[in-house]
Amino acid sequence: MSLGLSGLKKSIWVYHVACSPCNNCDIEILDLLTPRFDVERFGIVLVGSVRHADALLVTGMVNRQVKPRLQELYLQAAKPCVVFAIGSCAVSGNFFRRSYNMAGPVDRAIKEVDPNAIIVYVPGCPPKPEAMISGVVKAIGFLDNLKAKK
Amino acid sequence: MKETIIPIGPFHPLLEEPELFTLKVDGDTVIDVDVRIGWNHRGIEKLSQGLTWDQVPFLIERICGICSTSHPYACVLAMEEICDIEAPPRAQYIRPVVAELERIHSHLLWLGLAGHFIGYNTVFMWAWKYRELTLDSLEQLTGNRNHYAMFKAGGVRRDFSQKAMDFTMKAMDETEKATKMFLGAVLDDPVMHKRLKGVGVLTYEDAIQYSAVGPTSRPSGVDHDARRDDPFDAYGISHDKGVWKAIVLQDGDVFAKAACRILEILESIKIIRWCIENIPDGEIDAGVKEIPAGEGCGHYEAPRGEVFHYMRSDGSNFPIRHKVRAPTYNNLPTYKATCPGAHIADVALITASIDPCYCCTERVGVVDKLGTKHILTQDDLTKLSVKKTNEIRRKLGKTTYDPYAKMI
């Protein structure tokens, strides 16, 4: 686990899972890759397959159709894997918490299949790109602590 | 005939509505396409019927992050129709500024993604770089990069400061320069001509038959723009004074759609400049206390086409019916007309051409009749598209460019 953790925080490859978002967090995630923020400086790359990913960027509320697919994606990712719940919808459900199609926020959906999952919350509607970078930095700090404990 | 079925989706990160495309292909040519939507269902209409009139615009904003002005705009127009009032003059000038800034950032976003699909990653990076200027202006004017929370029945929530308006004027100068550069880069490039002309043609008849709206139909010669045809706020006055015009082109292919969007950015810049220069002083809110019983419709020309809202009130503080029709719903079926006959390499481009924000990664599984299964990722689709561009460049005697060469 320790070797995996130190490898994980070197250069985080992320896979983007849009549950049922309003698209806003998603374009802000893409914004991170473009010249103003350019997170590739830190080795953060958006990858096309969940099997290459170190982290899942989950946006949007989780509806009934999406929930089993999100869980399947998480199970397919190589562990250890960090889940970033990006935006108020992913963190708490925001406006949609009362919707009949809501199947719980991201953390509850993920913890159903893996109770020990590492989940990082980035609230905001949408969170600014700076907030997302800050979330990643905090996640790396957390992984450092986890490694020290082991 | 051997027939292959390619499902694309249902996960389309960065689509307004995640949807499932099923392509039937023969070799490399698409025969038929089927679209299934409903993966992004959040029950917004039902939720809206449980919120007070003041809360509704906040929810409606969250239908789509990129059209987060267009939906509340149509929604408050519907509410104002029920009340039979108009926003005060200053609010009538503030609204178009926010809405047109949104159009600029949406079109630049699309331009970047279209560039990415045909292998011009420079266009992707540049378009998104200049888009940041628009987002900065929006942040100065409204306080947030997206989801502006500006609209309410009978006016707007916040006033513009002079400093923010000066900033926006400067940002518009920069954006205009960048847009003109893009116009030259796209419209005069022989590679673009070869790659985009004649691809995914939507004829005038098809555009009418499928009820296409907005920048999907206007390049096909359909002369329709909700801002001009049913004028509201400052749009009617500015159009009558000849400040801007609706862009209508004739070819209907992807090239015309790209050109239409770039030209629309320039028109939007004109509207913003005119509104900021002529903005009157005064109140920004008509002070609507309650919405009487009745029904109203509102429509607005969103970056992707006409968005339509219908609201009914029984005099209480909730809407009892709220119907939303978004432009992509009309534009999706045009794939039936544009995709058949195209190459698989063009499908990413054609599906992107109606602007469903088709970017990022998704899974495409190829299932042929014998049951063997190949998985094509969005990367593979993009690679096919880049390969085609490079072939054209080679034929024209240009050096090739492959952004994926070093990644593999």
Side-chain angles (χ1 to χ4, degrees), chain A residues 20 22 26 31 99-100 128, chain B residues 14 40 42 65 132 139 145:
Chain A
S20 36
C22 73
D26 313 286
D31 224 23
S99 167
Y100 53 80
K128 290 193 172 188
Chain B
L14 297 160
N40 202 354
R42 284 170 288 169
E132 288 292 324
E139 194 171 6
R145 287 160 58 91

Side-chain angles (χ1 to χ4, degrees), chain A residues 16 18 20-24 26-28 31 34-36 47-48 63 65 69 96 98-101 125 128, chain B residues 11 14-16 38-43 47 51 62 64-65 125 128 131-132 136 139 145-147 361:
Chain A
H16 174 207
S20 36
C22 73
N23 239 1
N24 219 335
D26 313 286
I27 57 172
E28 293 290 59
D31 224 23
T34 52
R36 170 75 66 93
V47 292
N63 74 14
Q65 277 209 61
R69 291 166 176 85
F96 307 106
R98 279 179 296 177
S99 167
Y100 53 80
N101 212 14
C125 188
K128 290 193 172 188
Chain B
F11 264 98
L14 297 160
L15 271 171
E16 285 112 282
W39 298 86
N40 202 354
H41 185 73
R42 284 170 288 169
L47 280 176
L51 294 175
R62 281 153 182 81
C64 170
M125 291 297 167
W128 282 62
R131 185 177 158 269
E132 288 292 324
D136 283 347
E139 194 171 6
R145 287 160 58 91
N146 314 82
H147 287 334
T361 49

Side-chain angles (χ1 to χ4, degrees), chain B residues 29-209:
Chain B
T29 311
V30 179
I31 308 166
D32 198 9
V33 61
D34 192 18
V35 186
R36 189 182 152 197
I37 57 173
W39 298 86
N40 202 354
H41 185 73
R42 284 170 288 169
I44 285 183
E45 287 181 13
K46 178 71 186 159
L47 280 176
S48 167
Q49 290 159 25
L51 294 175
T52 63
W53 291 100
D54 239 14
Q55 291 170 330
V56 167
F58 291 108
L59 172 74
I60 294 309
E61 243 177 17
R62 281 153 182 81
I63 290 177
C64 170
I66 307 173
C67 304
S68 59
T69 303
S70 313
H71 283 287
Y73 207 145
C75 172
V76 297
L77 286 176
M79 290 186 201
E80 284 167 11
E81 193 179 302
I82 302 175
C83 304
D84 199 17
I85 55 151
E86 271 198 345
R90 191 173 169 87
Q92 290 196 8
Y93 280 69
I94 289 178
R95 285 173 176 186
V97 172
V98 183
E100 294 304 314
L101 279 170
E102 182 195 74
R103 188 184 313 278
I104 294 174
H105 101 65
S106 170
H107 282 352
L108 281 176
L109 183 148
W110 178 83
L111 186 65
L113 295 180
H116 174 66
F117 281 125
I118 58 169
Y120 278 4
N121 264 2
T122 319
V123 174
F124 176 44
M125 291 297 167
W126 276 8
W128 282 62
K129 182 180 150 196
Y130 290 112
R131 185 177 158 269
E132 288 292 324
L133 278 172
T134 314
L135 292 183
D136 283 347
S137 309
L138 281 167
E139 194 171 6
Q140 293 261 341
L141 291 168
T142 70
N144 203 1
R145 287 160 58 91
N146 314 82
H147 287 334
Y148 320 108
M150 285 293 275
F151 285 74
K152 64 186 287 190
V156 289
R157 282 181 201 277
R158 273 176 232 102
D159 204 351
F160 286 169
S161 70
Q162 191 56 45
K163 200 177 143 202
M165 287 195 281
D166 293 343
F167 181 90
T168 309
M169 288 297 255
K170 266 188 224 140
M172 284 306 106
D173 290 345
E174 288 285 310
T175 313
E176 190 180 22
K177 244 187 266 168
T179 313
K180 284 190 171 152
M181 180 200 66
F182 281 126
L183 199 61
V186 173
L187 298 191
D188 299 339
D189 189 342
V191 181
M192 290 282 194
H193 277 249
K194 284 240 167 187
R195 183 73 179 83
L196 304 181
K197 276 212 163 162
V199 172
V201 178
L202 181 69
T203 59
Y204 177 81
E205 290 74 26
D206 283 338
I208 297 282
Q209 266 193 340

Side-chain angles (χ1 to χ4, degrees), chain B residues 275-330:
Chain B
C275 283
I276 290 185
E277 276 162 11
N278 294 293
I279 191 165
D281 289 328
E283 286 292 309
I284 55 163
D285 186 4
V288 175
K289 288 277 180 281
E290 58 187 34
I291 310 266
E295 54 185 6
C297 303
H299 52 148
Y300 175 72
E301 190 73 21
R304 284 162 193 75
E306 186 187 335
V307 31
F308 176 86
H309 280 245
Y310 165 84
M311 297 188 102
R312 197 193 311 151
S313 162
D314 61 352
S316 69
N317 57 346
F318 302 112
I320 57 167
R321 181 73 181 104
H322 188 177
K323 169 83 186 104
V324 182
R325 200 210 62 197
T328 307
Y329 191 75
N330 281 34

Side-chain angles (χ1 to χ4, degrees), chain A residues 63-106:
Chain A
N63 74 14
R64 284 158 198 252
Q65 277 209 61
V66 162
K67 190 178 169 188
R69 291 166 176 85
L70 171 66
Q71 291 171 340
E72 186 62 35
L73 278 172
Y74 177 77
L75 290 175
Q76 285 183 6
K79 307 288 175 313
C81 168
V82 187
V83 178
F84 287 86
I86 291 188
S88 303
C89 299
V91 170
S92 68
N94 199 1
F95 255 117
F96 307 106
R97 66 189 182 280
R98 279 179 296 177
S99 167
Y100 53 80
N101 212 14
M102 172 90 177
V106 169

Side-chain angles (χ1 to χ4, degrees), chain B residues 354-372:
Chain B
I354 71 157
D355 193 2
C357 313
Y358 184 104
C359 28
C360 217
T361 49
E362 74 228 321
R363 280 178 61 255
V364 178
V366 181
V367 186
D368 68 21
K369 262 196 165 170
L370 299 168
T372 48

